[in-house]
Amino acid sequence: MIVAIGNSITDGAASSADSNSRWPDVLARRLLASKEPAKAVVNAGISGNGVLGPIAGPAALARFDRDVLMQPGVTHVIVLEGINDLSRGAAIADPRESVSAEDLIFGYQQLIARAHERGLVIFGATLTPMANMTRPTTAVVDERRRAVNAWIRTSGAFDGVIDFEAATRDPAEPGRFLPAYDSGDHLHPSDAGYKAMGESIDLALFRRMTPARRP
C-alpha cells in the first residue's frame, strides 16, 4: 500500500467535486489497471498542511506516525509537502523566523529516517510551480521552492524522485503552471494538471520493496 502525505495539492483542492480526479486517484486507477503489486493508495493530504509546524492540522512531522507508519500494510510513501511552510515563513517580517529551504530539507530528512526505520520506501515529489501567484512574497518563496526541488532531485536522500514540477510547468516559463494545468489560482492544478501529475509517476518505482542502503 502507498500513502501519499501532503497538503491541498494532494487533498485535491480546486479539482472538480465528486470526480475523484486528484493525483492519488489517478495513480490508484493506473495501479489497478496494471500488473504492479502495489494497488491501494491512501490519500493523507490536508489542505493548508505543512511539514514543520501546525499551519492547518498537525504538521507532517507530528502526524507521520498516525497517518503513515501506523497504516496497515503500508510499503511506500510519497511526500509532496512544503509550499505552505515556505509561504508562511517568507511572510514573516523577522528573517530569523523565516522558514528556509534548509529548514524544510531538515524536515524531509527526519521523515526519510523515520520511514527507513520502519523499512518503508519513501519518494520525494518536487514542489509544483507557483511563481505567478499574486502575492508579495512570491519571488522569495519561489527561490526557496527551486532550491528544495534541486535537493530532492540530486541529493539521493529519498529512495526515488517523482518530478511533479517537470510534469506541470510551462516550458516557456518554468516557474509557472502550463496554462491548461492551472486551476486559475496559480497554486493548485486543474483536473488536467492533477491528471498529468498522476500519469507522470513511473509505476516501476513501486517494485522496490526495501529502502536504499546508505552509509
Side-chain angles (χ1 to χ4, degrees):
M1 184 178 73
I2 303 160
V3 177
I5 185 167
N7 51 36
S8 56
I9 298 174
T10 296
D11 193 28
S15 65
S16 296
D18 302 320
S19 65
N20 293 324
S21 57
R22 301 162 295 187
W23 71 262
D25 299 321
V26 176
L27 173 60
R29 285 193 290 271
R30 291 181 62 215
L31 286 166
L32 286 170
S34 75
K35 296 181 180 179
E36 299 298 332
K39 298 297 182 184
V41 180
V42 172
N43 188 328
I46 298 177
S47 290
N49 200 233
V51 174
L52 303 174
I55 301 170
L61 286 170
R63 66 188 181 97
F64 198 67
D65 283 8
R66 180 197 69 189
D67 291 351
V68 178
L69 302 183
M70 294 177 66
Q71 292 297 319
V74 61
T75 55
H76 299 81
V77 188
I78 301 173
V79 179
L80 175 59
E81 187 102 68
I83 280 180
N84 291 323
D85 299 84
L86 298 177
S87 299
R88 185 189 190 202
I92 295 172
D94 186 344
R96 293 172 298 180
E97 300 293 330
S98 183
V99 174
S100 67
E102 291 74 20
D103 293 332
L104 187 54
I105 288 166
F106 180 68
Y108 289 151
Q109 290 171 326
Q110 292 181 65
L111 296 178
I112 293 166
R114 288 162 66 184
H116 285 174
E117 285 174 1
R118 290 293 191 93
L120 304 184
V121 177
I122 183 167
F123 303 123
T126 54
L127 303 179
T128 48
M130 45 72 65
N132 54 342
M133 287 175 60
T134 55
R135 296 166 62 174
T137 58
T138 295
V140 176
V141 176
D142 196 53
E143 181 181 355
R144 296 174 185 179
R145 182 189 67 85
R146 291 169 187 255
V148 167
N149 282 350
W151 181 85
I152 290 172
R153 291 187 182 107
T154 64
S155 69
F158 284 104
D159 295 308
V161 176
I162 295 171
D163 202 340
F164 283 154
E165 181 193 41
T168 58
R169 67 191 174 196
D170 186 341
E173 297 184 80
R176 305 184 177 205
F177 277 120
L178 193 71
Y181 294 164
D182 191 341
S183 68
D185 67 4
H186 312 311
L187 176 63
H188 299 98
S190 62
D191 288 348
Y194 283 122
K195 185 172 185 287
M197 291 169 69
E199 289 184 344
S200 74
I201 301 170
D202 183 359
L203 299 187
L205 287 171
F206 306 109
R207 295 174 191 168
R208 168 177 269 177
M209 299 302 293
T210 57
R213 301 296 177 188
R214 296 183 178 86

